[in-house]
Amino acid sequence: MNLVHLIMHKQIKTSFGKQENREIIINEISLADVSAEEEHLAIEQGFLIDVLDDEYWFMSRSTRVITSSVDAKEYDGKWELVETLTPNLIKILRKILNRYVQKHNFKDFERSLNETKRTKFFIYYHNNRIVAFTKMQFYPEIDQSVEHPHKGVETCMFAWDYKNPELHIGEVTLQHEVYWAQQEGFKYLYIGPGYEKSSLYKSNIAGFEWWTGMEWSKDTVEYKELCKRDSKIRSFKALTSLEVW
């Protein structure tokens, strides 16, 4: 038996349920005691590190791109990959993040700018002005990556300022990040959980796969249907109508 399976283990919590007026059961699946050597196994099984808590491994409808399947292009403007954010850079990125959150009517993601040992940030410019950024997470931590041959990388948070919609920044930066992952030798670029309509664009890139809970699927039709359905669910009543319950 492979030793790594004796170290990390799944935790299942019976987090929430209703049985009086409707039948709903929600369980939380997470990982504990994940060593640096095991992190590639964790992400291969649909787990990711929470963008707001770098010690919490959660299972989701994780998404990824097979980098060898993409004819990706490098961003044609100025860009940089930084490991440490200066106070001035944080101020600029926070403004971009706030615009992005307001545009989509999302909740406050300000803590997404938190830095850990596993994060770096792609910074994108247009006409010498910062217009977008992507927070990257590395599996395992950056200072351990040289020691372990099995490495993973995830684009866990993206935002841009929407000042020049014709630039299609979201599309070209994702292409750039796939290109960069190819050059760095990553087999996969993980691109975060795939829920609701805001995640539909992910399936448009070649080499896309999503985690069903049991396996990685290339069925983009089903993925898109699930994302659209996610956005339609607004109540417990609607939730109980799903076939999975």
Side-chain angles (χ1 to χ4, degrees), residues 149-168:
H150 301 289
K151 298 181 288 184
V153 63
E154 174 200 4
T155 62
C156 64
M157 182 64 208
F158 167 79
W160 67 294
D161 62 9
Y162 285 94
K163 288 189 175 181
N164 300 97
E166 71 279 2
L167 297 177
H168 300 289

Side-chain angles (χ1 to χ4, degrees), residues 92-176:
I92 295 172
L93 298 189
R94 184 175 291 121
K95 288 182 178 179
I96 291 174
L97 183 58
N98 288 340
R99 291 194 190 103
Y100 186 80
V101 168
Q102 292 172 6
K103 175 72 174 180
H104 291 278
N105 196 28
F106 289 159
K107 68 178 183 180
D108 185 3
F109 286 134
E110 184 168 332
R111 285 181 58 204
S112 300
L113 295 177
N114 287 3
E115 301 169 71
T116 71
K117 291 181 179 180
R118 66 173 71 244
T119 57
K120 290 186 180 182
F121 291 79
F122 273 107
I123 309 298
Y124 297 98
Y125 295 77
H126 178 65
N127 293 334
N128 292 317
R129 181 178 60 83
I130 297 176
V131 295
F133 73 89
T134 301
K135 181 179 181 178
M136 310 290 290
Q137 291 197 135
F138 291 79
Y139 301 82
E141 296 176 358
I142 294 170
D143 57 3
Q144 297 174 325
S145 297
V146 177
E147 302 173 15
H148 303 291
H150 301 289
K151 298 181 288 184
V153 63
E154 174 200 4
T155 62
C156 64
M157 182 64 208
F158 167 79
W160 67 294
D161 62 9
Y162 285 94
K163 288 189 175 181
N164 300 97
E166 71 279 2
L167 297 177
H168 300 289
I169 288 292
E171 297 176 19
V172 298
T173 55
L174 180 55
Q175 284 281 334
H176 169 84

Side-chain angles (χ1 to χ4, degrees), residues 10 29-31 42-43 45-49 57-59 62 139:
K10 292 181 181 178
I29 304 175
S30 60
L31 281 182
I43 58 177
Q45 295 175 32
F47 290 92
L48 295 171
I49 285 284
W57 287 86
F58 69 100
M59 178 177 284
S62 181
Y139 301 82

Side-chain angles (χ1 to χ4, degrees), residues 61-76:
R61 191 187 297 152
S62 181
T63 62
R64 70 184 184 185
V65 174
I66 304 171
T67 59
S68 61
S69 299
V70 187
D71 183 18
K73 298 180 181 179
E74 186 176 14
Y75 182 63
D76 60 4

Side-chain angles (χ1 to χ4, degrees), residues 10-22:
K10 292 181 181 178
Q11 294 182 322
I12 301 177
K13 297 181 180 179
T14 54
S15 302
F16 178 82
K18 295 185 76 68
Q19 65 181 30
E20 296 174 0
N21 298 310
R22 52 183 50 88

Side-chain angles (χ1 to χ4, degrees), residues 229-230 233 237-245:
R229 186 194 67 180
D230 295 337
I233 300 299
K237 182 178 180 180
L239 192 60
T240 57
S241 69
L242 299 183
E243 294 182 0
V244 296
W245 299 105

